[in-house]
Every structure is written in C-alpha cells, then in structure tokens.
Amino acid sequence: MPASRSLKKKNDISAFLSRRGYEAIPIRQNIAGLLLISVKVNGIEGLFILDTGAGVSVIDSSQVDSLQLTLQKDSASFSGAGAGGQGLEVIPSKGNTIEIGNHVVTDFTLSIMSFEHVSQTLAQAGCEGFSGVIGVDILKPGKAIIDYGSMMLYLSPEK
C-alpha cells in the first residue's frame, strides 16, 4: 500500500472514532516490546504497561506512596502468579481515580503487588521503569481499540 494511501486510511480511522467520542492516546513500545501509555492515578502521572492479557490493572507496590494509594491490607490475598510458583501478596486499593486521556474512571479498585523481579529484569535490558499495568478491567469498559499501525489506543469517555 502506498504511503499516502496508508496515511489516508489512518486519518479515516482516527476521524471515524473521533466522531464517536473516542480519544486517541499515543502508545510507545520499549526495547523489550512492551506497549506503554501515560496514565494518571489519583492525579499523578505515571508510565504503565498496556496489557490486553491482564484481567485486572495492577500497581507496583513500590508506587503506593507516590500515587497516594490507600491499601486494604485486611483484604490481601495470595496469587500463584509469582515466579517459581511462589505466591505473591495482592492487596486491594479502593476508591481511586484513573485517567487515560479524557477517559476517567472513578471509585476504581486497583490491585497492588510487587513487580520487583520484573522491574529488575527490564532495567537490566535497558528499559525505563513503570508504575503498573493497565488491564482488561479498564480497557473493556472503555471500549478500547488499539491501532497498531499508528500506535494509538482509542478509548471512549467513561459513561
């Protein structure tokens, strides 16, 4: 497909979604191939991994103070998702506001767990740090559309 036709198609997709209330959020890809987006949690901006395979959105436990999260430690659970089959403690944080462009979700419960091993591995590969993972619990209600050709995430405003 000629470059001019490809650009027109991209603009057509963007215009079509824009008319339906969607906002384009830029995605970038790091050297490890992970997709990254800018997200505000409780008004504080951070870099997040966009993960369509993650059922829930998760924040790295090292970010609790900087993102002003309140933990419900009495509701903590253990997940078998840890490396080497070890359980990882998962602590909920309720009542948060998530902003991705003009898509705003209020009174949102995030899961908090340690990404220490993942962060160390990515840092050794030369990747920048990240605050957490945005999962299906935000993407599906936001009617997310990912345009890999233009590296844009489209979300509708929260209704």
Side-chain angles (χ1 to χ4, degrees):
M1 178 181 305
S4 62
R5 189 168 171 213
S6 176
L7 182 60
K8 181 179 181 335
K9 191 174 232 178
K10 175 190 160 208
N11 290 337
D12 288 348
I13 292 169
S14 182
F16 175 81
L17 292 173
S18 179
R19 284 192 302 272
R20 282 153 182 77
Y22 281 79
E23 180 184 12
I25 292 102
I27 301 171
R28 63 187 177 87
Q29 192 169 16
N30 70 10
I31 60 174
L34 297 171
L35 302 180
L36 305 170
I37 59 172
S38 180
V39 176
K40 285 185 181 177
V41 175
N42 300 326
I44 300 150
E45 194 162 349
L47 189 63
F48 283 74
I49 295 171
L50 179 64
D51 187 349
T52 61
V56 296
S57 297
V58 183
I59 302 288
D60 184 358
S61 57
S62 70
Q63 301 295 312
V64 167
D65 291 334
S66 64
L67 296 176
Q68 302 173 0
L69 302 174
T70 303
L71 302 181
Q72 282 71 48
K73 291 184 180 182
D74 57 333
S75 298
S77 62
F78 284 87
S79 164
Q86 297 175 355
L88 295 174
E89 184 178 40
V90 179
I91 303 172
S93 173
K94 299 178 182 179
N96 299 289
T97 300
I98 310 298
E99 299 173 64
I100 306 173
N102 66 7
H103 181 78
V104 179
V105 182
T106 58
D107 199 26
F108 190 78
T109 300
L110 290 160
S111 294
I112 314 303
M113 64 185 280
S114 174
F115 287 156
E116 183 178 3
H117 289 93
V118 174
S119 295
Q120 287 174 355
T121 301
L122 290 173
Q124 289 172 355
C127 298
E128 69 261 68
F130 65 97
S131 298
V133 173
I134 296 299
V136 173
D137 56 350
I138 291 177
L139 298 174
K140 187 175 179 183
K143 301 174 188 162
I145 297 170
I146 300 173
D147 180 356
Y148 289 96
S150 66
M151 291 299 283
M152 290 289 185
L153 167 67
Y154 292 92
L155 289 172
S156 70
E158 183 68 13
K159 302 276 185 204

